[in-house]
Amino acid sequence: RDYSEAVKWLRKPAEQGYGYAQYMLGACYYFGRGVTRDYSEAVKWYRGSAEQGNSDAQYMLGACYYNGLGVARNLSEAVNWYRKSAEQGNSGAQCLLGVCYYNGRGVTRDYSEAVKWFRKSAEQGDSDAQYFLAESFYKGLGVAQNLSEAVNWYRKSAEQGVNDAQYMLGYCYYYGLGVTRDYSEAVKWLRKPAEQGYSKAEEMLRELGVSLR
């Protein structure tokens, strides 16, 4: 791919106010594709696109505010842009808006609101949202505690490769939490994150006398 050629072609429509071109040009600056990475330029183009309603640009502008990239860090502004994107169905923004509510970042902590957004994102297949939704069911935060529902969502997330979810699914199988106790299933799921250096899974397998070799 010749990104510098793409940047040349994107710049004219972006300068003429075309929202999608602005979003794409912002992404080039954000990731340093075809141009020197420049977060403040990325923010400028993301903002132009976001203000025209592009949900991906709104999501990325929210992330820039959240992380203080190219703009002063401002969590309530991050929440504002995540929300605009989330309301348009952007699963990444729905997940991160849920995280903001869960942790009380840029917004008053509200577990039930967090669960609402985790669920919307999880149902679209977002693996992180599936894990956070599972955690909410496991701990009974923002929703009635339900271990079998927790296992259901841990499994969906684990199958997409999320180490935290794989560990918790193995843990639930070992202790029979929300699922029939099954030692071999426990070992199967604990082994996946352990092989990637996930220390809690390695430790649990060692305690069970299972070799990783």
Side-chain angles (χ1 to χ4, degrees), residues 118-131:
F118 289 151
R119 193 189 296 277
K120 286 178 188 291
S121 181
E123 285 171 351
Q124 290 196 67
D126 186 290
S127 60
D128 291 324
Q130 289 168 344
Y131 169 72

Side-chain angles (χ1 to χ4, degrees), residues 168-182:
M168 283 305 299
L169 185 56
Y171 184 92
C172 288
Y173 268 115
Y174 184 74
Y175 289 105
L177 301 169
V179 69
T180 307
R181 196 170 185 191
D182 187 326

Side-chain angles (χ1 to χ4, degrees), residues 52-178:
Q52 292 187 63
N54 182 298
S55 72
D56 291 321
Q58 291 167 341
Y59 168 64
M60 289 304 297
L61 185 56
C64 289
Y65 272 112
Y66 192 90
N67 296 301
L69 296 172
V71 69
R73 189 171 196 226
N74 184 328
L75 298 183
S76 60
E77 234 354 65
V79 166
N80 171 43
W81 288 106
Y82 283 152
R83 188 186 310 282
K84 289 179 192 295
S85 181
E87 284 170 350
Q88 292 197 67
N90 185 300
S91 65
Q94 289 170 340
C95 180
L96 290 179
L97 182 57
V99 169
C100 289
Y101 273 111
Y102 192 90
N103 294 315
R105 299 254 168 89
V107 70
T108 305
R109 176 175 278 165
D110 184 333
Y111 291 121
S112 60
E113 198 61 18
V115 165
K116 176 182 112 175
W117 291 108
F118 289 151
R119 193 189 296 277
K120 286 178 188 291
S121 181
E123 285 171 351
Q124 290 196 67
D126 186 290
S127 60
D128 291 324
Q130 289 168 344
Y131 169 72
F132 291 128
L133 184 57
E135 285 283 281
S136 301
F137 276 114
Y138 185 85
K139 295 171 179 170
L141 292 174
V143 68
Q145 187 180 42
N146 184 328
L147 297 181
S148 62
E149 263 305 278
V151 166
N152 171 42
W153 290 106
Y154 281 138
R155 187 186 311 283
K156 290 180 192 295
S157 181
E159 285 170 350
Q160 292 200 66
V162 174
N163 286 170
D164 288 319
Q166 292 169 337
Y167 168 75
M168 283 305 299
L169 185 56
Y171 184 92
C172 288
Y173 268 115
Y174 184 74
Y175 289 105
L177 301 169

